[in-house]
Amino acid sequence: MEKTRSDCPISCSLDVFGDKWSLLIIRDVMLRGKASYSEFLESEERIATNILANRLSVLEAEGILLKQVSPANRSKFIYSLTPKGIDLLPIVIEIMDWGAKYNANCPRRELGKKIKKDKAAVVKEYYRKLKEQFR
């Protein structure tokens, strides 16, 4: 782990996922069911391959993502959230809600509409789905 800027909890958190790509990768695993390098490259934000490789490595080193050999194709890796990564769910949901509320160019799609209607129920539903992988 790199040296932190300060001992402020916000600063410490940003040291882990405060770049412009990490939360998008976490979103893709958490909410969109993406698990492989090639699936992440297909995201609408068009992350560069070198940046994706670096961010996956950092998120794995930080204990947010778990990297495993794919059971379907032994030459590929799949990524999943660890319990530490799953704990970011309410933060990701809040950021989505805030972005839709204050940016007219970011309309609420199906999930965003569910969040607006009953945010707590959405968080509960996704927690259940994400924690099933540990059973």
Side-chain angles (χ1 to χ4, degrees), residues 89-90 93-94 118-128:
L89 177 64
I93 296 294
E94 287 295 339
D118 190 349
K119 191 183 303 179
V122 171
V123 170
K124 187 176 179 180
E125 173 189 347
Y126 274 90
Y127 262 135
R128 183 186 52 74

Side-chain angles (χ1 to χ4, degrees), residues 70-90:
S70 170
N73 182 345
R74 307 288 296 159
S75 66
K76 290 189 177 184
F77 293 101
I78 55 170
Y79 296 86
S80 59
L81 292 167
T82 64
K84 182 178 177 180
I86 292 171
D87 280 348
L88 289 169
L89 177 64

Side-chain angles (χ1 to χ4, degrees), residues 4-15:
T4 58
R5 291 174 284 202
S6 75
D7 61 358
C8 167
I10 293 174
S11 181
C12 292
S13 298
L14 290 174
D15 287 339

Side-chain angles (χ1 to χ4, degrees), residues 50-83:
N50 61 322
I51 295 171
L52 176 58
N54 173 267
R55 297 317 302 163
L56 288 170
S57 176
V58 168
L59 292 169
E60 182 186 6
E62 289 290 343
I64 292 171
L65 291 180
L66 178 64
K67 178 181 177 181
Q68 297 175 299
V69 174
S70 170
N73 182 345
R74 307 288 296 159
S75 66
K76 290 189 177 184
F77 293 101
I78 55 170
Y79 296 86
S80 59
L81 292 167
T82 64

